[in-house]
Amino acid sequence: MSAMSDDDRRAWAYLAAVAEPPCAPLIALAARYGAVETARMIKARKLPAGNAAVLTATQARCETDSASTDLETAHRRGARLVTPEDDEWPGWALLALDQASTSVRGGGPLALWVRGPANLGDASAVAVGLVGSRAATSYGTHVAGRLASGLADQGASVVSGGAYGIDGAAHRGALATGGRTMAVLACGIDRDYPSGHARLLEEIGDHGLVVSEYPPGTTAAKHRFLTRNRLVAALSAALVVVEAGRRSGAANTAAWARNLGRPLGAVPGPITSAMSVGCHQMIADGQAALVIDAPSVLALVEASGHDNFVRSPATPIDGLPPDQFEVIEALPAHGGLRVEEIAFSAGKPVAAVLTALAVLEVKGLVDGSSGVWRLAESW
Amino acid sequence: MSAMSDDDRRAWAYLAAVAEPPCAPLIALAARYGAVETARMIKARKLPAGNAAVLTATQARCETDSASTDLETAHRRGARLVTPEDDEWPGWALLALDQASTSVRGGGPLALWVRGPANLGDASAVAVGLVGSRAATSYGTHVAGRLASGLADQGASVVSGGAYGIDGAAHRGALATGGRTMAVLACGIDRDYPSGHARLLEEIGDHGLVVSEYPPGTTAAKHRFLTRNRLVAALSAALVVVEAGRRSGAANTAAWARNLGRPLGAVPGPITSAMSVGCHQMIADGQAALVIDAPSVLALVEASGHDNFVRSPATPIDGLPPDQFEVIEALPAHGGLRVEEIAFSAGKPVAAVLTALAVLEVKGLVDGSSGVWRLAESW
């Protein structure tokens, strides 16, 4: 954790609780005004024009400031609040979520509650998501464990949702080989959900990471599973579905992976098994590659560029560092903006925007010659 | 069987035995001079210039005329010799082999020994090949049987090689549902190979078709399995590999299917099964489509044009009737030929070639304006 003031961290904890995630406009506000000032404005119910959505999203909880309690609970459980201002913030991995923020329930997390010794940023640098049915077969859990061990042996973090079935087998497979694994929960990091996995989650927290965007005490709820799935996809450089029936929660995570440009793999199984129907469908439809072992999964990651920032199709802005990327994304397709407008739109300080624009102009990607900044015509 | 003279049929039987198949130049000779005259020339060791290959190929067996014995043996076993001059000749299905005749062990069969009540031409009109490992697992044989029943129920003939494992399960699955199945052997139709399948082959001969290009009495040999595989692929509108290990004979049949432009499917299985490694490899490499049931196999056939003449990529000559197709195939890529030269090359009468050329010229595919015939420049 970086040297953030207690006031700052309390403000982040307040903001992380005040609206049900994801809430992209709240994140933009915090990026522009800082956490402390944003928290003050929300409590005072006085926000800059154009933030009606934030007022609505925070109405129910704005007067309840449980920040100190949440931070204490987290501390007692050996957990911490990681914000975009902290070094271990996985900004690179989450970038794709910001770009997908216009889709339903899209947008990144405002902050993440994290329990465990691993560095969140490092752990998500080469991470592979393994997901699948809770009602997995013994074949499925065997295969998930084997894949997870193989991936962990190769240095990849194994990301999953901590659930029964495939999720649990994946976490266990990574732990068994002394590897790194990350459980992304749909409830607070202090809730052992599912209860039968209390001991597994404890172990993951001891050796890997338990992650949630929900404050301590938050209970699991159906919509939170769907929201959580986007984080599993975003934190993974590639996602593998090990077993999935015709209708499966894993299909939702797989859809997020595709939305975010993450390569998708699926493990085949007996065509006589209802638990492999979803995987076979994804392969037959060309949505997922057929994968059989860790090397074939890592080949997927490699083919997509080896890092956790993957978009398809490739454009000249792929691979730009986040500060330049966010600035260029703030520019409209047609017409130009003043620096102050870009700074507002990107939620970044004017000085930082000017620095980024200067580099982007050298790269030929933006054009500031007309007094306003616009996308260069060449692309 | 059409009203062919006994002399003619004896000559065909002689030619079917005198060279080890495939022997494309012998077929061309028989097409040009007729079976009786070709047999006479081969026995006399006097062939038109340019037929040294035929002399070599027939040297060992030319003096042994077992035609009458072969026809008698076949008759006793309820079998018949089907030649290109018979109505049930599957010329359409075999056409792709003639085009592939330049490749190793390519070229069509000269004639086919056939046992069973089905019409060979009809049976190969909508036929699906099901092949796989002899050392199949119980999963594999179960799946092969289920697929075969499903395909037979939909009116497709199930083609396979009569071997233990997947082949046998496929034949049985088709028979079980009262459907049509075709066993293509690497030995004479009177040899029960493998011996443990004597009763199964009997049953196939009673209800479907046992097919071989080898004369009665021919024993199975390694090179004959490879040669037989091309017939399984050619007689099938689509080929499905049900189970195959890392190195499998099924891979050879699959390669033939691809060579001949037949759509290829593969059935997935447990990634823990060595018998599914080959199938997964073909799917992962994009060589085969993942198929799980009869409808997904028939969708492959449908996507490829529903009939047994499939080539890839499509060219303007795809879909030409055989008489025009064979004439256009006789024309060189550069330069022109006289009608007599085309007739010789295509193995067709001059009058038939002239008729075909006239139609092809109207279609804009050939150009006869310079005194010789050449491919039109437009394609």
Side-chain angles (χ1 to χ4, degrees):
Chain A
M1 229 179 288
S2 59
M4 185 187 284
S5 78
D6 287 353
D7 277 356
D8 264 331
R9 199 159 304 274
R10 261 196 304 276
W12 277 108
Y14 169 78
L15 294 176
V18 75
E20 183 74 14
C23 187
L26 177 58
I27 294 171
L29 215 55
R32 176 156 164 72
Y33 294 100
V36 171
E37 174 60 9
T38 302
R40 195 198 57 76
M41 292 192 293
I42 285 173
K43 287 179 184 173
R45 312 309 287 152
K46 286 195 175 161
L47 295 179
N51 281 288
V54 176
L55 276 179
T56 307
T58 58
Q59 190 148 24
R61 301 180 193 163
C62 63
E63 292 177 12
T64 315
D65 188 348
S66 60
S68 297
T69 321
D70 289 347
L71 286 165
E72 268 163 43
T73 307
H75 185 69
R76 251 197 334 272
R77 292 292 299 252
R80 60 196 183 273
L81 179 63
V82 177
T83 78
E85 295 176 4
D86 291 305
D87 292 342
E88 66 174 313
W89 182 251
W92 199 246
L94 297 173
L95 198 55
L97 277 177
D98 296 333
Q99 299 173 246
S101 65
T102 47
S103 46
V104 181
R105 304 210 66 74
L110 186 128
L112 289 167
W113 298 89
V114 174
R115 177 156 62 91
N119 176 297
L120 180 59
D122 293 350
S124 59
V126 181
V128 173
L130 289 188
V131 298
S133 179
R134 276 169 298 163
T137 67
S138 58
Y139 165 72
T141 52
H142 170 74
V143 163
R146 198 169 80 160
L147 256 185
S149 294
L151 289 165
D153 278 342
Q154 300 288 315
S157 311
V158 173
V159 183
S160 197
Y164 291 134
I166 299 301
D167 286 21
H171 293 305
R172 286 193 183 95
L175 289 170
T177 190
R180 201 159 46 185
T181 189
M182 206 189 306
V184 186
L185 304 186
C187 57
I189 38 102
D190 61 329
R191 311 288 290 208
D192 290 326
Y193 185 93
S195 57
H197 274 181
R199 186 145 169 215
L200 174 61
L201 292 169
E202 195 67 36
E203 211 183 327
I204 297 170
D206 287 348
H207 300 283
L209 287 173
V210 176
V211 177
S212 176
E213 62 184 317
Y214 300 104
T218 308
T219 52
K222 188 171 181 190
H223 71 276
R224 292 192 180 120
F225 287 102
L226 297 175
T227 307
R228 181 273 313 267
N229 291 345
R230 87 192 196 292
L231 284 188
V232 171
L235 291 170
S236 304
L239 186 80
V240 175
V241 183
V242 177
E243 266 194 335
R246 198 171 292 278
R247 286 146 199 256
S248 163
N252 174 259
T253 315
W256 269 113
R258 283 199 306 280
N259 268 341
L260 302 178
R262 303 288 191 259
L264 182 64
V267 176
I271 62 171
T272 46
S273 166
M275 281 298 118
S276 287
V277 168
C279 290
H280 293 155
Q281 194 68 56
M282 289 179 208
I283 297 168
D285 291 352
Q287 293 172 19
L290 184 152
V291 295
I292 54 165
D293 52 17
S296 61
V297 173
L298 292 173
L300 274 189
V301 180
E302 218 155 311
S304 74
H306 233 318
D307 64 9
N308 208 337
F309 178 59
V310 184
R311 293 201 324 147
S312 169
T315 73
I317 62 172
D318 283 347
L320 285 181
D323 56 335
Q324 294 166 35
F325 185 86
E326 287 160 24
V327 165
I328 211 164
E329 283 287 287
L331 288 172
H334 302 289
L337 290 180
R338 285 176 297 112
V339 173
E340 295 74 21
E341 292 171 318
I342 299 170
F344 179 81
S345 175
K348 300 172 80 71
V350 167
V353 170
L354 276 172
T355 308
L357 284 170
V359 179
L360 290 168
E361 189 164 38
V362 170
K363 290 181 180 172
L365 296 174
V366 302
D367 174 8
S369 60
S370 61
V372 291
W373 292 91
R374 57 183 79 236
L375 296 174
E377 283 185 14
S378 55
W379 62 282
Chain B
M1 229 180 288
S2 58
M4 185 188 283
S5 77
D6 287 353
D7 278 357
D8 265 329
R9 199 160 303 276
R10 262 197 302 275
W12 277 108
Y14 170 78
L15 294 176
V18 75
E20 183 75 15
C23 187
L26 176 59
I27 294 171
L29 214 55
R32 176 155 164 71
Y33 294 100
V36 171
E37 174 61 8
T38 303
R40 194 198 57 74
M41 292 192 291
I42 286 172
K43 286 178 184 174
R45 311 309 286 152
K46 285 193 178 162
L47 295 181
N51 281 287
V54 176
L55 276 178
T56 309
T58 57
Q59 191 148 25
R61 302 180 192 163
C62 62
E63 291 177 12
T64 316
D65 188 349
S66 59
S68 297
T69 321
D70 289 347
L71 286 166
E72 268 164 43
T73 307
H75 184 70
R76 253 197 333 273
R77 293 291 301 250
R80 60 196 183 273
L81 178 64
V82 178
T83 78
E85 294 177 4
D86 291 306
D87 292 341
E88 64 174 315
W89 182 250
W92 200 245
L94 297 173
L95 197 55
L97 277 176
D98 295 333
Q99 300 173 245
S101 64
T102 47
S103 46
V104 182
R105 306 211 65 75
L110 186 127
L112 289 167
W113 298 89
V114 174
R115 176 157 61 92
N119 176 295
L120 180 60
D122 293 349
S124 59
V126 181
V128 173
L130 290 188
V131 297
S133 179
R134 276 169 297 163
T137 68
S138 59
Y139 165 72
T141 52
H142 170 73
V143 163
R146 199 169 78 161
L147 257 185
S149 294
L151 289 165
D153 278 342
Q154 300 288 315
S157 311
V158 173
V159 183
S160 197
Y164 291 135
I166 298 301
D167 286 20
H171 292 305
R172 286 194 183 95
L175 289 170
T177 190
R180 200 159 46 183
T181 189
M182 206 189 305
V184 186
L185 305 187
C187 57
I189 36 101
D190 60 330
R191 312 287 290 207
D192 290 327
Y193 186 92
S195 57
H197 274 182
R199 183 141 171 221
L200 174 61
L201 292 169
E202 196 67 37
E203 211 184 327
I204 297 170
D206 287 347
H207 301 283
L209 287 173
V210 176
V211 177
S212 175
E213 62 185 316
Y214 300 103
T218 309
T219 53
K222 189 170 179 189
H223 70 275
R224 291 191 181 121
F225 287 104
L226 297 175
T227 307
R228 180 273 313 270
N229 291 345
R230 87 192 197 292
L231 285 187
V232 171
L235 292 170
S236 304
L239 185 80
V240 175
V241 182
V242 177
E243 267 194 333
R246 198 172 292 281
R247 285 145 198 260
S248 163
N252 174 258
T253 315
W256 267 112
R258 283 198 305 280
N259 268 342
L260 301 178
R262 302 287 190 259
L264 182 64
V267 176
I271 62 171
T272 46
S273 166
M275 280 299 118
S276 287
V277 168
C279 290
H280 294 155
Q281 193 68 56
M282 288 179 209
I283 297 167
D285 291 351
Q287 293 172 18
L290 185 152
V291 295
I292 55 167
D293 51 19
S296 60
V297 173
L298 292 174
L300 274 188
V301 179
E302 219 156 310
S304 74
H306 233 317
D307 64 8
N308 208 337
F309 177 60
V310 182
R311 291 201 325 148
S312 167
T315 74
I317 61 173
D318 284 348
L320 285 181
D323 57 332
Q324 293 167 34
F325 186 87
E326 286 160 24
V327 165
I328 211 163
E329 282 289 284
L331 289 173
H334 303 286
L337 291 180
R338 286 176 295 113
V339 172
E340 295 74 21
E341 291 171 316
I342 300 170
F344 179 81
S345 175
K348 298 174 80 72
V350 168
V353 170
L354 276 173
T355 308
L357 285 171
V359 179
L360 290 168
E361 189 165 38
V362 170
K363 291 181 179 172
L365 296 174
V366 302
D367 174 8
S369 59
S370 63
V372 291
W373 292 91
R374 56 183 79 238
L375 295 174
E377 284 185 11
S378 55
W379 61 285

